[in-house]
Amino acid sequence: MNKSALHQEVIQRLEDTLQQAQQAALMAYETATAKENIAENKYDTLGLEASYLATGHARRAAAIRQTLVDWKRLLLRDFDPLLGIQLGALIELSDDDGRRQCLFLGPDGAAMKLQLDGQTVQVLGPQAPLGQMLRGKNVGDELTLRVASGVQLLAILSVD
């Protein structure tokens, strides 16, 4: 699997999400400032509500913009066993039942699932519980992950 292609897919998704958030903020701002939405009495709150919505969308767009900057700055490196798993690592795990999953560890703020080469890849950040556990680990290491249904044992099969 190509890490560079995964990296570009995450960036493309973030750019699309940013564009949608910016459009939503603009629409809410236009609604908040439209002449027909000027309050005529204390119960007429459409303009006020739209301004709160515009602020929320603008904050969301700013957060996505920062995440996008972080992902664009991410340097993909070859795996170094001396450092263990770091940002930019593509990791294959197996659980106790032999089910495999593929993870791409990157900067925070871009949790998503991608399809590449017919395989599902979960993108996660270093602050996610599993992301925290993976940092510094190597091929062959095992992790114990507490989930709602109990404890799950995961083995690191490969890292790229």
Side-chain angles (χ1 to χ4, degrees):
M1 186 170 298
N2 185 338
K3 280 197 312 187
S4 183
L6 279 170
H7 186 227
Q8 289 306 310
E9 180 68 22
V10 171
I11 289 172
Q12 183 60 53
R13 290 259 187 112
L14 287 170
E15 286 174 343
D16 293 346
T17 304
L18 176 59
Q19 183 179 13
Q20 292 171 356
Q22 288 172 330
Q23 288 174 344
L26 180 61
M27 288 175 52
Y29 172 77
E30 289 172 352
T31 300
T33 58
K35 288 182 182 180
E36 62 269 11
N37 292 331
I38 294 173
E40 295 176 5
N41 60 52
K42 66 181 182 179
Y43 302 109
D44 193 0
T45 61
L46 180 61
L48 179 62
E49 291 167 4
S51 71
Y52 287 142
L53 189 58
T55 301
H57 283 303
R59 286 182 182 154
R60 180 172 177 260
I64 295 167
R65 192 175 301 109
Q66 183 57 55
T67 298
L68 186 55
V69 166
D70 294 342
W71 273 88
K72 285 182 175 181
R73 288 182 182 162
L74 177 65
L75 298 175
L76 299 179
R77 297 187 171 108
D78 291 334
F79 176 66
D80 181 351
L82 295 175
L83 295 174
I85 294 172
Q86 298 296 316
L87 291 184
L90 182 59
I91 308 141
E92 185 178 12
L93 301 176
S94 176
D95 66 12
D96 347 356
D97 297 326
R99 291 182 299 242
R100 294 177 179 220
Q101 60 180 318
C102 197
L103 306 171
F104 188 42
L105 184 64
D108 280 324
M112 62 181 76
K113 284 189 180 181
L114 302 175
Q115 291 290 326
L116 192 66
D117 301 333
Q119 188 171 4
T120 301
V121 179
Q122 176 67 51
V123 178
L124 73 153
Q127 298 304 316
L130 185 53
Q132 290 176 5
M133 294 175 74
L134 286 167
R135 298 281 303 260
K137 300 289 189 219
N138 278 293
V139 174
D141 287 349
E142 293 185 346
L143 310 167
T144 303
L145 182 65
R146 297 193 189 286
V147 292
S149 59
V151 176
Q152 186 177 25
L153 183 65
L154 301 170
I156 301 172
L157 300 178
S158 67
V159 181
D160 181 19

